[in-house]
Amino acid sequence: MRVYLTAVRLSLRRYLAYRSSALAGAFTNTVFGCLRALVLIALWKQKPELSGWDQTDAVTYAFVTQGLVTPMGIFMNSTELGPRIRSGDVAVDLYRPVDFQAWWLSLDLGRALGAGMLRTVPPVVVGSLLFPVRLPTSPLPWAEFVVCCGIGYLISFGLRYLASLVAFWTMDERGTASILVAVGMFCSGLIIPLSIVPGTLGAVLLHTPWAAVAQMPINVLLGTQSGGFGYAVAFASVWAVLLLVAGRLVTDAARHKVVVQGG
Amino acid sequence: MADTETDDRPYWGPAAYLLLVRMWMRSASQYRVSLVLTTLAQLFTTCLDLIAILVIYTHVQTIAGFTLPETLYLYGTTRLAFGLSDIVASGVEDLPTMIRMGDFDLVLIRPVSSLAQVLADQFTPKRFGKLVTPVLTLGWALHALPVHWTAARIAVCVGTVVCGFVLYCALWVLTGCISFVAVDAQEVANSFTYGSENATEYPLTIFGRPLGLALTFVLPVAFVTWQPSLYVLGHADPFGLPGFLRFASPLAAALLSGLAALAWRGCVRHYRSTGS
Amino acid sequence: MTDPIILAEGLTKTFNGDFTAVDGIDLRVAAGELVGYIGPNGAGKSTTIKMLTGILTPTSGLLRVAGFEPQRDRVKLARRIGVVFGQRTTLWWDLPLKDSFTLLQRLYKIPRQRYEENLAYYVDALDLGPFLDRPVRQLSLGQRMRGDITAALLHDPAVVYLDEPTIGLDVVSKHSVREFLSELNQRTGTTILLTTHDIADIERLCTRVVAIDHGRVTYDGSIEELRADRDLETVVRELYLGRSLVDTTE
C-alpha cells in the first residue's frame, strides 16, 4: 500500500514543480469559463428557468466545469503509458511486483491532485468575482461534491486507462485517444450542460460514464441533481466499477499477449 | 573550399515554408492509421461547438437578435478562417518545446527565416479535418439566409474569411511570441487563439459593451467576422459603432500582421541576446 | 595573421547582467586551421560557439567570421558555416537520410552539379551507401554522426564547427571520423573548430589548441609548444585544473 502512496506523492510533487505551466493553464481555464458563462447567460436571459436551473446556476456550472477539466484529464490525449507500450518499456512494468493498474492510478492521482490545487480553484474564484455564482456556504454540499468528484475521477481514469491499453494491440494509441477526448469533451458537459440537450440525445447523454465526471458532481453541489446525492453516487459507482474491472481484464489480456508473443 | 555564393539572400520565406511543409507531410504519412483517426477526431471536435449552437437554438429562436442561420454564418466564417490559419500557422505551438530542447538554436544556424521554420514545424495533414464542419455549415447558412446577395455582399463574405484567416495567423504568431518571454506560459496563448475563435462564434452582443469594445479596439477579433457580418446580414451595430468599421477588416488584418512581424523579430533578437 | 577567417577581440557575453560566461576572449583563426577548443564543462565553450555561429549576440567586443558580423548577418553567415552537434542531430528524424540532404541542397541553394559531386564524395568517403535510404531514427549513433557531418559539409562551408563529434562512438567510428576530418582539412582547406573532451581527437587532428576556463583563454598555441616534454594528457589535465576528464586515449 505504501508504494502506491509514494507514487501518488512523487507524482504530485512532480506536477507541482511545473507551477508556472499550471497557472498559465488556469488562466486559460478562466478565460474559457468566462466565454461559456456569457453564452449561457444569453440563453438563460430568455429562458430563466431552463432545465431547473437559473442563470446563477448556469454560470457556476461554466466555471466549475473548467476547473474540473484538468484533474479529470478531459483533454488528455496522451499519458505516459501509451509511449511506454509503443517503445516496449512497459514489459518491465508488467513484471514489477506491484499491481499494474493500481500503479498507473497512483501516478495519475498525484497529477490530478496537483491539478486540483493549481487549476481548479483559480477559475472558480475568478468566476465568483466577476459573475454572480451559487457556491454553497454549508459544508455538506461541498462534501457531497467532493465525493462525487472522487468517483468521477475514477471513471475518468478508467476511461483513459482503457484507451491507453489499446496500444498493446494497435501499437499506437494516439488515434483512439484523440477520438476519446473529442467524445469526452462533449459528453462531460464541457461544451454545454447536458441537462439542456433535448430529446433522446439528452437522455442518452445523462447516462454515459462521462455524465458523472463533471455534470453530476456540479448538480449535487447546486442541489439540482434529480435523485439527489444518493442517485449520483450509485450511478457513478456502477460505472466506476465497470470501467475499473474492464481495465483489469484488459490488463490481464495484455500481459498474456506480452508473455505469449514476447512483447 | 569554393565560394560561389553570389546569391546572399536567404531562401525565400514562403518557399522555404512550403518545402518544409512537404517534408513534414511525408514524415506524418509514416503513421497512417493514427493519422486517419486523429483527422476524424479533429473533425468531430469542430462539430462540438456546432452542436452546442444547435442545442441552444432548440430552446430559443434568437440570441441577441440573431437567428440560427445568422449565428451559423458567424460560426462558419470564423471556424473556417481559424481552421485555415490552424493549418498554416499552428506550428508555433511547438515553439516552447523547441526552445526547451535547444532545437531553436538549430533553426538559427540555417540560412532560412526562423518564422518559416517554426510555422512549418510538425505540419500534419490531420489539420485539414478541421475544415469539413465549417465549410458544410457555412454552405448551409448561406443557403438558408434570407440575404439578397449583391456583388458587394459576396465580396465582403469572401473577404471575411480571407481577412479572418490573416488575422488569426497574425494572432498565432503574436501569441506564440509569449514562449520567448516565458517558456512555460504557452497555454496563455491558447486563450487568445482558441478563445478568440470561440468568442467570435456568437454575436458580440453577448459580451456586453465594455468587453465588446475591447474585442474591437484592443484585441481586434471583432474584425474576424462580427463587423463584416453586420454588413452582410444587415444588422445594426448594437454598440453603435460607426458603419465604416464593417469594412475595416483588411486594415485590422494588416495592422495585426505588422505587429506580429515586429514582435517576432523583437523576440528572436531577445532570444539571441539572452539565450534560452 | 592577415585577414583571419575568425576574428574575436574582447568578446564578452554576460547573462542577466551578472553572470559572465565569456570574458574578453581574443581569438584569431586563419583560414585552413584545424583548432581544438577545450575546457571544462561550464567554461564558456558552447557560449563562444553560439556567438560564432550567430545563435547568441555578444554583449561586447568585436567578432567577425568569414567576413561577416554574426550578430547582424546571421543568414548570410549561415550559408558559409556548417555545424555538427555531437548530441543533437540536424537531420530529419522520420525520413530517409538522403531526403535530409535533398532538403539542404534546396535550402542552401547548392548548384545541382556541385551538390551531386559533393554527395558522391561523402557517400564514398564516409561509407553512407548502405543506409542512405534508411530513416534517420533507425540509424546507429555512428551512422547518424556521419550523416550529420555530411549535412554540415554539403554546401562547402568556409568554417565548420564540431561540438563533441566523437562522443559516444565506438573506437573504429572515432578513428574514421578523425581520419575524415583530417583529410577534409588538408584537401579543401576548410577551417575546422573542434570542441571535445577526447584527448585522442586533439592529438590526432589539431595543430593548435585553445583552452578556455571561466570564460577566459588559458592557453592558445600549438600542440608541440603545449606538450614540450610532457605528455598531452597531463598537460590537458592541468589545464582543466584538476577537474576530472573523460579519459579515452586509445
Coordinates of all heavy atoms in Angstrom, one line a residue, chain B residues 110-152:
Chain B
R110 N 20.4 28.0 -39.8 CA 20.1 27.7 -41.2 C 19.9 29.1 -41.9 O 19.3 30.0 -41.3 CB 18.8 26.9 -41.3 CG 18.9 25.5 -40.7 CD 19.1 24.5 -41.8 NE 19.2 23.2 -41.2 CZ 20.3 22.5 -41.1 NH1 21.5 23.1 -41.5 NH2 20.4 21.3 -40.6
P111 N 20.2 29.2 -43.2 CA 20.0 30.4 -43.9 C 18.6 30.6 -44.4 O 18.2 30.9 -45.5 CB 20.9 30.3 -45.1 CG 20.9 28.8 -45.4 CD 20.8 28.1 -44.1
V112 N 17.6 30.4 -43.4 CA 16.2 30.5 -43.7 C 15.5 31.3 -42.6 O 16.0 31.2 -41.4 CB 15.6 29.0 -43.8 CG1 14.1 29.1 -44.1 CG2 16.4 28.2 -44.8
S113 N 14.5 32.0 -43.0 CA 13.7 32.7 -42.0 C 13.3 31.8 -40.8 O 12.8 30.7 -41.0 CB 12.4 33.3 -42.7 OG 11.3 33.2 -41.8
S114 N 13.5 32.3 -39.6 CA 13.2 31.5 -38.4 C 11.7 31.3 -38.3 O 11.2 30.2 -37.9 CB 13.7 32.2 -37.1 OG 13.1 33.4 -37.0
L115 N 10.9 32.3 -38.7 CA 9.5 32.2 -38.7 C 8.9 31.1 -39.6 O 8.1 30.3 -39.2 CB 8.8 33.5 -39.0 CG 7.3 33.6 -38.9 CD1 6.8 33.2 -37.5 CD2 6.8 34.9 -39.2
A116 N 9.5 31.0 -40.8 CA 9.1 30.0 -41.7 C 9.3 28.6 -41.2 O 8.5 27.7 -41.3 CB 9.8 30.2 -43.1
Q117 N 10.5 28.4 -40.5 CA 10.8 27.1 -40.0 C 9.9 26.7 -38.8 O 9.5 25.6 -38.7 CB 12.3 27.1 -39.5 CG 13.3 27.2 -40.6 CD 14.7 27.1 -40.1 OE1 15.1 26.1 -39.6 NE2 15.4 28.2 -40.2
V118 N 9.6 27.7 -38.0 CA 8.7 27.4 -36.8 C 7.3 27.2 -37.3 O 6.6 26.2 -36.8 CB 8.8 28.5 -35.8 CG1 7.8 28.3 -34.7 CG2 10.2 28.6 -35.2
L119 N 6.8 28.0 -38.2 CA 5.4 27.8 -38.6 C 5.2 26.4 -39.3 O 4.1 25.8 -39.2 CB 5.0 28.9 -39.6 CG 4.8 30.3 -39.0 CD1 4.4 31.2 -40.2 CD2 3.7 30.3 -38.0
A120 N 6.3 25.9 -40.0 CA 6.1 24.7 -40.7 C 6.3 23.5 -39.7 O 5.9 22.4 -40.1 CB 7.2 24.6 -41.8
D121 N 6.7 23.7 -38.5 CA 7.0 22.6 -37.6 C 5.9 21.7 -37.4 O 4.8 22.1 -37.1 CB 7.6 23.2 -36.3 CG 8.4 22.2 -35.6 OD1 9.5 21.9 -36.1 OD2 8.1 21.8 -34.4
Q122 N 6.2 20.4 -37.4 CA 5.2 19.3 -37.2 C 3.9 19.5 -38.0 O 2.8 19.1 -37.5 CB 4.8 19.4 -35.7 CG 5.9 19.3 -34.7 CD 6.5 17.9 -34.6 OE1 5.8 16.9 -35.1 NE2 7.7 17.7 -34.1
F123 N 4.0 20.0 -39.2 CA 2.9 20.1 -40.0 C 2.3 18.7 -40.3 O 3.0 17.8 -40.5 CB 3.2 20.7 -41.4 CG 2.1 21.0 -42.3 CD1 1.5 22.3 -42.3 CD2 1.5 20.1 -43.1 CE1 0.4 22.6 -43.1 CE2 0.4 20.4 -43.9 CZ -0.1 21.6 -43.9
T124 N 1.0 18.6 -40.2 CA 0.3 17.3 -40.4 C -1.0 17.5 -41.1 O -1.7 18.4 -40.8 CB 0.1 16.6 -39.0 OG1 -0.9 15.6 -39.2 CG2 -0.3 17.6 -37.9
P125 N -1.3 16.6 -42.0 CA -2.5 16.7 -42.8 C -3.7 16.6 -42.0 O -4.8 16.9 -42.4 CB -2.4 15.5 -43.8 CG -1.1 14.9 -43.6 CD -0.4 15.5 -42.5
K126 N -3.6 16.1 -40.7 CA -4.9 15.9 -39.9 C -5.6 17.2 -39.7 O -6.8 17.3 -39.5 CB -4.5 15.3 -38.6 CG -4.0 16.2 -37.6 CD -3.8 15.6 -36.2 CE -3.4 16.7 -35.2 NZ -2.8 16.3 -34.0
R127 N -4.8 18.3 -39.8 CA -5.4 19.6 -39.6 C -6.5 19.9 -40.6 O -7.4 20.7 -40.3 CB -4.4 20.7 -39.7 CG -3.3 20.6 -38.6 CD -2.3 21.7 -38.7 NE -1.1 21.5 -37.9 CZ 0.0 22.1 -38.0 NH1 0.2 23.0 -39.0 NH2 1.1 21.8 -37.3
F128 N -6.4 19.3 -41.8 CA -7.4 19.6 -42.8 C -8.8 19.1 -42.3 O -9.8 19.6 -42.8 CB -7.1 18.9 -44.1 CG -5.9 19.7 -44.8 CD1 -4.6 19.3 -44.6 CD2 -6.2 20.7 -45.6 CE1 -3.6 19.9 -45.3 CE2 -5.2 21.4 -46.3 CZ -3.9 21.0 -46.1
G129 N -8.8 18.2 -41.4 CA -10.1 17.7 -40.9 C -10.9 18.8 -40.2 O -12.1 18.7 -40.1
K130 N -10.2 19.9 -39.8 CA -11.0 21.0 -39.2 C -11.7 21.8 -40.1 O -12.5 22.7 -39.7 CB -9.9 21.9 -38.4 CG -9.2 21.1 -37.4 CD -8.4 22.1 -36.5 CE -7.5 21.3 -35.5 NZ -6.8 22.1 -34.6
L131 N -11.6 21.6 -41.4 CA -12.3 22.4 -42.4 C -13.6 21.9 -42.8 O -14.5 22.7 -43.3 CB -11.4 22.6 -43.7 CG -10.1 23.2 -43.6 CD1 -9.4 23.3 -44.9 CD2 -10.2 24.6 -43.0
V132 N -13.8 20.6 -42.6 CA -15.1 20.0 -43.1 C -16.3 20.6 -42.5 O -17.2 21.1 -43.2 CB -15.0 18.5 -42.8 CG1 -16.3 17.8 -43.3 CG2 -13.9 17.8 -43.5
T133 N -16.4 20.6 -41.2 CA -17.6 21.2 -40.5 C -17.9 22.6 -40.9 O -19.0 22.9 -41.2 CB -17.4 21.0 -39.0 OG1 -17.0 19.7 -38.7 CG2 -18.8 21.3 -38.3
P134 N -16.9 23.5 -40.8 CA -17.3 24.9 -41.1 C -17.7 25.1 -42.6 O -18.6 25.9 -42.8 CB -16.0 25.7 -40.8 CG -14.9 24.7 -40.7 CD -15.5 23.4 -40.3
V135 N -17.0 24.4 -43.5 CA -17.4 24.5 -44.9 C -18.9 24.1 -45.1 O -19.7 24.8 -45.7 CB -16.5 23.7 -45.8 CG1 -17.1 23.5 -47.2 CG2 -15.1 24.3 -45.8
L136 N -19.2 22.9 -44.5 CA -20.6 22.5 -44.6 C -21.6 23.4 -43.9 O -22.7 23.7 -44.5 CB -20.7 21.0 -44.0 CG -20.0 19.9 -44.8 CD1 -20.1 18.6 -44.1 CD2 -20.5 19.8 -46.2
T137 N -21.2 23.8 -42.7 CA -22.1 24.7 -42.0 C -22.3 26.0 -42.8 O -23.5 26.5 -42.9 CB -21.6 25.1 -40.6 OG1 -21.1 23.8 -40.0 CG2 -22.6 25.7 -39.8
L138 N -21.2 26.6 -43.2 CA -21.3 27.9 -43.9 C -22.1 27.7 -45.2 O -23.0 28.5 -45.5 CB -19.9 28.3 -44.3 CG -19.8 29.8 -44.8 CD1 -20.4 30.8 -43.9 CD2 -18.3 30.1 -45.0
G139 N -21.9 26.6 -45.9 CA -22.7 26.3 -47.1 C -24.2 26.3 -46.7 O -25.0 27.0 -47.4
W140 N -24.6 25.6 -45.7 CA -26.0 25.6 -45.3 C -26.5 27.0 -44.9 O -27.6 27.4 -45.3 CB -26.2 24.6 -44.1 CG -27.6 24.5 -43.7 CD1 -28.6 23.7 -44.2 CD2 -28.3 25.3 -42.7 NE1 -29.8 23.9 -43.6 CE2 -29.6 24.9 -42.6 CE3 -27.9 26.3 -41.8 CZ2 -30.6 25.5 -41.8 CZ3 -28.8 26.9 -41.0 CH2 -30.1 26.5 -41.0
A141 N -25.7 27.7 -44.1 CA -26.1 29.0 -43.7 C -26.3 29.9 -44.9 O -27.3 30.7 -44.9 CB -25.1 29.6 -42.7
L142 N -25.4 29.9 -45.8 CA -25.6 30.8 -47.0 C -26.8 30.5 -47.7 O -27.5 31.3 -48.3 CB -24.3 30.6 -47.9 CG -23.0 31.2 -47.4 CD1 -21.9 30.8 -48.3 CD2 -23.1 32.7 -47.3
H143 N -27.2 29.2 -47.8 CA -28.4 28.8 -48.4 C -29.6 29.2 -47.7 O -30.6 29.6 -48.3 CB -28.3 27.2 -48.6 CG -29.6 26.7 -49.2 ND1 -29.9 26.8 -50.5 CD2 -30.6 26.0 -48.6 CE1 -31.1 26.2 -50.7 NE2 -31.5 25.7 -49.6
A144 N -29.6 29.1 -46.4 CA -30.8 29.4 -45.6 C -31.0 30.9 -45.2 O -32.0 31.2 -44.8 CB -30.7 28.6 -44.3
L145 N -29.9 31.7 -45.4 CA -30.1 33.1 -45.1 C -30.9 33.8 -46.0 O -30.8 33.7 -47.2 CB -28.7 33.7 -45.0 CG -27.8 33.5 -43.8 CD1 -26.4 34.1 -44.0 CD2 -28.4 34.1 -42.6
P146 N -31.9 34.6 -45.5 CA -32.7 35.4 -46.4 C -32.0 36.7 -46.8 O -32.5 37.8 -46.7 CB -33.9 35.8 -45.5 CG -33.3 35.8 -44.1 CD -32.2 34.8 -44.1
V147 N -30.8 36.6 -47.4 CA -30.0 37.7 -47.7 C -30.0 37.9 -49.2 O -30.0 37.0 -50.0 CB -28.5 37.5 -47.3 CG1 -27.6 38.5 -48.0 CG2 -28.4 37.6 -45.8
H148 N -30.2 39.2 -49.6 CA -30.1 39.5 -51.1 C -28.6 39.6 -51.4 O -28.0 40.6 -51.1 CB -30.9 40.8 -51.3 CG -30.8 41.2 -52.8 ND1 -31.2 40.4 -53.8 CD2 -30.3 42.3 -53.3 CE1 -31.0 41.0 -54.9 NE2 -30.5 42.2 -54.7
W149 N -28.1 38.6 -52.2 CA -26.7 38.6 -52.4 C -26.3 39.5 -53.6 O -26.3 39.2 -54.7 CB -26.2 37.2 -52.7 CG -26.3 36.3 -51.5 CD1 -27.2 35.4 -51.2 CD2 -25.4 36.4 -50.4 NE1 -26.9 34.8 -50.0 CE2 -25.8 35.4 -49.5 CE3 -24.2 37.1 -50.1 CZ2 -25.1 35.2 -48.3 CZ3 -23.6 36.9 -48.9 CH2 -24.0 35.9 -48.0
T150 N -25.8 40.7 -53.2 CA -25.3 41.6 -54.2 C -23.8 41.3 -54.4 O -23.2 40.5 -53.6 CB -25.4 43.1 -53.7 OG1 -24.6 43.2 -52.5 CG2 -26.8 43.5 -53.5
A151 N -23.2 41.9 -55.4 CA -21.8 41.6 -55.6 C -21.0 42.1 -54.4 O -20.0 41.4 -54.0 CB -21.3 42.4 -56.9
A152 N -21.4 43.2 -53.8 CA -20.7 43.8 -52.7 C -20.8 42.8 -51.5 O -19.8 42.5 -50.8 CB -21.3 45.1 -52.3

